[in-house]
Amino acid sequence: MANRLLEVNNLEVAYGDVGALWGVSIHVDPGTIVAIVGANGAGKTTLLKTISGLLKPKRGEVFLNGVPLAGKAPEAIAGMGIAHVPEGRGLFRQMTVLENLELGAFQPKVRKHFRQSLEKAYTLFPRLKERAGQKAGSLSGGEQQMLAIARATMSDPSLLILDEPSLGLSPIVVQQMFSLIETLHRQGVTILLVEQNIHQALKVADYAFVLKTGELAMQGTGADLIADPEIQKAYMGVLEVQ
Amino acid sequence: MTLNIPPPDILLQLSLNGALGGAMYGVAAVGLSLIFGTMRLIFLAQGAMIILAAYFVRALFYGLGIDPFLSLLIVVPVGLGVGWLVYQGLFRRAAAEEDRNISLLIAVGLMFLIQNLMTVVWGGNTAAVVTSYTASGIEILGVRTSFTRSMGFLIALAGTGLVVLFLRSTLVGKAVRAASEDMEAATLMGISPHRVNAIAFAIGISLAGAAGVAVATTFPFNPFAGFIFSLKALVALALGGIGNVAGALAGGIILGLIEAYVQYFISGGWTNAIAYGVFLAVLMFKPEGLFSRPYKKA
Ligand SMILES: Nc1ncnc2c1ncn2[C@@H]1O[C@H](COP(=O)(O)OP(=O)(O)OP(=O)(O)O)[C@@H](O)[C@H]1O
Ligand SMILES: [Mg+2]
């Protein structure tokens, strides 16, 4: 408990009067990949947005390294070391690849190391170096997702949040995406991953939480959940039929 | 109505005067574009700010003997400060609301407040700044035109150029562009919405200051002249494409050309009607502006 990187306790979030999360608690330990899985509308994006401060919870609390995030603006939370790649990527499409990466290192703390961070990002994503001067909106879907992740790593975050990084990508690019996530993990990045691609997500995850209509339905190690017959029936089976 | 094709020198004169005058709409539109970019607010008080600056320039000239063009060195920094304060004092709270109607009403309220304060302080009559060079002309491309109008054009060009430079080559400028494209994503980068909004206001109102210098030296003005200016700037904004700063200047110049041609070929009475007609036509058929790039639609 003492060295939890992220701790979310009894989170309750609503859009106006319509509740979206009820008493959700999760945690992320440093250096791990944690997956959050669940069907459409289960509240995964809502949970991530509340962690990064885009939504204010009705009840419950979020701690980063033991520091409460309550009442903090999203830009302040970003400055504390959470990099959130939102659903839909949130790229600045009219700006160049390089400008997007520069903005990833906007915070004064990390601005100083911009050159090194850029070198690191280019090593990991050589494609982006070739396209540095191109508008982000003109990249392919896969390249855009790579750029979104690369941009998030520019701030050398203590927690990288990825909301459905595989969304809309072809199967081969999805494979590249997951191997990239594992590479980042090996480099020591802590990752909180939301995925519809449940099988893949559970395979890379050290630990996972299953959300069901706004409530926590199950949790365990990735391996345990993959083997769980209920999970297989409820989620993975459906995916195979599709 | 017969359309006489005028001789080329008249046509050139017409175009030059139209472009020079239109640049003032353009610089007002650049300010609108910046503020709209980050706040999604049409800052209707921009024209009133321009006239306020014109009165300020006049006071500096007749009160302290400061040359109107030299007073740019005062008006522009004061504009930056006023813009910052206007945001922090009037718009900061409303900016946090999803609903932009409150901000719009504040802008309208501010416009009327400025208009009426100006009337109280300076009276409702027409004012002007008359210097030794007000009536002098210079020759451009073999055409004689007003010196002050040409200076106004240079101010508009320089102002827009500086803003574009700021937006393209500084990190804070890039943050403003990023926030204009996607505020939520920008906050996830650690960019504070209040900070970029305040910067947009500061620059927008300092541009109003620069435009005020151009107006004061070129036209007679009165406290209520600002509203038309805001509307013309809005037309320029639509022509140039909302969110395209250099396009806003170009939009102003195009509007100036349209007005000059309408005045010559049709009649002065038609200029405003046709200007607003163009405004509606652009919004209906090319709402992304005349210079938009195709990938925007994606
Ligand atoms: N802006 C909003 N306003 C109102 N309700 C919302 C809003 N965003 C989400 N919801 C509702 O909150 C619930 C959870 O949505 P959320 O987007 O968090 O789900 P999700 O698990 O991310 O789904 P998906 O897999 O489709 O992305 C849904 O019932 C959704 O309809
Ligand atoms: Mg989602």
Side-chain angles (χ1 to χ4, degrees), chain A residues 15 20 39-46 87 164 196:
Chain A
Y15 294 96
N40 288 113
K44 307 179 295 291
T45 297
T46 304
E87 204 172 39
E164 298 206 32
Q196 294 260 351

Short mmCIF file of all heavy atoms in Angstrom, two decimals, chain A residues 15 20 39-46 87 164 196, ligand 1:
data_model
loop_
_atom_site.label_atom_id
_atom_site.label_comp_id
_atom_site.label_asym_id
_atom_site.label_seq_id
_atom_site.Cartn_x
_atom_site.Cartn_y
_atom_site.Cartn_z
N TYR A 15 -22.52 12.36 -14.92
CA TYR A 15 -22.70 13.43 -15.90
C TYR A 15 -24.04 14.08 -15.60
O TYR A 15 -25.08 13.49 -15.89
CB TYR A 15 -22.70 12.87 -17.32
CG TYR A 15 -21.36 12.27 -17.74
CD1 TYR A 15 -21.13 10.90 -17.64
CD2 TYR A 15 -20.35 13.08 -18.24
CE1 TYR A 15 -19.92 10.36 -18.03
CE2 TYR A 15 -19.13 12.55 -18.62
CZ TYR A 15 -18.92 11.19 -18.51
OH TYR A 15 -17.72 10.66 -18.89
N ALA A 20 -22.24 7.53 -13.75
CA ALA A 20 -21.44 6.74 -14.68
C ALA A 20 -20.52 5.79 -13.92
O ALA A 20 -20.19 4.71 -14.40
CB ALA A 20 -20.64 7.65 -15.59
N ALA A 39 -17.10 -3.56 -21.32
CA ALA A 39 -17.84 -3.34 -22.56
C ALA A 39 -18.00 -1.85 -22.84
O ALA A 39 -17.63 -1.02 -22.02
CB ALA A 39 -19.22 -4.00 -22.46
N ASN A 40 -18.56 -1.53 -23.98
CA ASN A 40 -18.87 -0.14 -24.33
C ASN A 40 -19.76 0.47 -23.25
O ASN A 40 -20.72 -0.16 -22.82
CB ASN A 40 -19.61 -0.05 -25.66
CG ASN A 40 -18.70 -0.35 -26.82
OD1 ASN A 40 -18.85 -1.34 -27.50
ND2 ASN A 40 -17.74 0.50 -27.03
N GLY A 41 -19.42 1.69 -22.85
CA GLY A 41 -20.25 2.39 -21.90
C GLY A 41 -20.06 1.94 -20.46
O GLY A 41 -20.80 2.36 -19.57
N ALA A 42 -19.06 1.08 -20.20
CA ALA A 42 -18.85 0.58 -18.85
C ALA A 42 -18.31 1.66 -17.92
O ALA A 42 -18.40 1.55 -16.70
CB ALA A 42 -17.89 -0.61 -18.88
N GLY A 43 -17.74 2.72 -18.51
CA GLY A 43 -17.22 3.81 -17.67
C GLY A 43 -15.70 3.91 -17.66
O GLY A 43 -15.13 4.62 -16.83
N LYS A 44 -15.07 3.24 -18.60
CA LYS A 44 -13.59 3.23 -18.63
C LYS A 44 -13.04 4.63 -18.90
O LYS A 44 -12.16 5.10 -18.17
CB LYS A 44 -13.10 2.24 -19.72
CG LYS A 44 -13.68 0.84 -19.58
CD LYS A 44 -13.21 -0.08 -20.66
CE LYS A 44 -13.64 0.28 -22.07
NZ LYS A 44 -15.09 0.12 -22.34
N THR A 45 -13.55 5.27 -19.95
CA THR A 45 -13.07 6.62 -20.28
C THR A 45 -13.38 7.59 -19.14
O THR A 45 -12.55 8.43 -18.78
CB THR A 45 -13.74 7.10 -21.58
OG1 THR A 45 -13.33 6.23 -22.64
CG2 THR A 45 -13.34 8.52 -21.93
N THR A 46 -14.55 7.44 -18.56
CA THR A 46 -14.94 8.29 -17.43
C THR A 46 -13.93 8.17 -16.30
O THR A 46 -13.50 9.16 -15.71
CB THR A 46 -16.34 7.89 -16.94
OG1 THR A 46 -17.25 7.97 -18.04
CG2 THR A 46 -16.82 8.81 -15.83
N GLU A 87 -9.02 9.06 -25.57
CA GLU A 87 -9.72 8.35 -26.63
C GLU A 87 -9.80 9.30 -27.83
O GLU A 87 -10.10 10.47 -27.67
CB GLU A 87 -11.14 8.04 -26.14
CG GLU A 87 -11.82 6.89 -26.79
CD GLU A 87 -13.13 6.55 -26.07
OE1 GLU A 87 -13.87 7.47 -25.66
OE2 GLU A 87 -13.40 5.38 -25.92
N GLU A 164 -7.82 3.22 -25.10
CA GLU A 164 -8.07 2.49 -26.34
C GLU A 164 -7.10 2.84 -27.46
O GLU A 164 -7.51 3.32 -28.51
CB GLU A 164 -9.51 2.72 -26.80
CG GLU A 164 -10.49 2.19 -25.77
CD GLU A 164 -11.82 1.79 -26.37
OE1 GLU A 164 -11.83 1.33 -27.54
OE2 GLU A 164 -12.84 1.92 -25.68
N GLN A 196 -10.57 -2.32 -25.48
CA GLN A 196 -11.68 -3.19 -25.87
C GLN A 196 -11.13 -4.54 -26.30
O GLN A 196 -11.82 -5.55 -26.26
CB GLN A 196 -12.40 -2.58 -27.08
CG GLN A 196 -13.09 -1.29 -26.80
CD GLN A 196 -14.56 -1.49 -26.58
OE1 GLN A 196 -15.09 -2.58 -26.79
NE2 GLN A 196 -15.22 -0.46 -26.13
N1 LIG C 1 -20.27 13.63 -21.91
C1 LIG C 1 -21.18 12.75 -21.44
N2 LIG C 1 -22.39 13.16 -21.05
C2 LIG C 1 -23.30 12.29 -20.57
N3 LIG C 1 -23.07 10.98 -20.42
C3 LIG C 1 -21.88 10.51 -20.78
C4 LIG C 1 -20.88 11.36 -21.32
N4 LIG C 1 -19.78 10.61 -21.59
C5 LIG C 1 -20.12 9.35 -21.26
N5 LIG C 1 -21.37 9.28 -20.76
C6 LIG C 1 -22.05 8.06 -20.30
O1 LIG C 1 -21.30 7.53 -19.24
C7 LIG C 1 -21.23 6.11 -19.36
C8 LIG C 1 -19.77 5.67 -19.42
O2 LIG C 1 -19.17 6.18 -20.59
P1 LIG C 1 -17.66 5.99 -20.91
O3 LIG C 1 -17.36 6.83 -22.09
O4 LIG C 1 -16.85 6.23 -19.71
O5 LIG C 1 -17.59 4.46 -21.30
P2 LIG C 1 -16.41 3.60 -21.92
O6 LIG C 1 -16.26 2.42 -21.05
O7 LIG C 1 -15.22 4.43 -22.13
O8 LIG C 1 -17.03 3.16 -23.30
P3 LIG C 1 -16.33 2.91 -24.70
O9 LIG C 1 -15.72 1.57 -24.64
O10 LIG C 1 -17.46 2.95 -25.68
O11 LIG C 1 -15.35 4.01 -24.92
C9 LIG C 1 -22.03 5.75 -20.60
O12 LIG C 1 -23.30 5.35 -20.17
C10 LIG C 1 -22.09 7.03 -21.37
O13 LIG C 1 -23.28 7.10 -22.11
#
